Amino acid sequence: FDVKKTKKYTVKLNYSTTATSSTIELQDAQGKVLGNIVLASTNGLENWKTVDVKNVDLKKGQNKLRIVFKDGNVNLKSLEIK
């Protein structure tokens, strides 16, 4: 992701899951954990919810993010940086 300035951003993840609770980790390219996110069930893989990960530090220019699925059955539809 190419951002215009160094600051804290909100990362919006649109997901679905049938698991009661699932956990994902948001990491930078070096593996530093930027956020741990617990995802509530959407009651079906065709039902989508959005979760906000706030205060994610990104530097001006190119940033690479990793999403690590720790457990659960999760579909990721989109990721947006605001």
Side-chain angles (χ1 to χ4, degrees):
F1 294 94
D2 192 10
V3 295
K4 296 185 185 222
K5 62 182 178 178
T6 298
K7 70 174 197 166
K8 293 184 184 293
Y9 288 86
T10 297
V11 177
K12 297 176 142 325
L13 300 168
N14 191 245
Y15 74 95
S16 69
T17 182
T18 56
T20 304
S21 165
S22 300
T23 306
I24 60 174
E25 227 175 47
L26 187 62
Q27 300 178 353
D28 67 12
Q30 290 74 39
K32 176 184 173 194
V33 176
L34 303 174
N36 285 298
I37 306 101
V38 177
L39 305 174
S41 176
T42 62
N43 297 314
L45 295 178
E46 297 297 320
N47 301 326
W48 300 93
K49 286 185 179 180
T50 301
V51 64
D52 291 347
V53 184
K54 297 182 178 183
N55 299 316
V56 176
D57 288 316
L58 298 177
K59 295 180 180 171
K60 180 180 178 181
Q62 287 290 326
N63 291 266
K64 292 183 181 181
L65 298 177
R66 293 180 185 164
I67 299 172
V68 179
F69 297 87
K70 303 301 261 182
D71 54 30
N73 182 22
V74 178
N75 286 333
L76 183 63
K77 187 176 187 180
S78 65
L79 181 148
E80 183 180 7
I81 296 179
K82 293 234 170 198

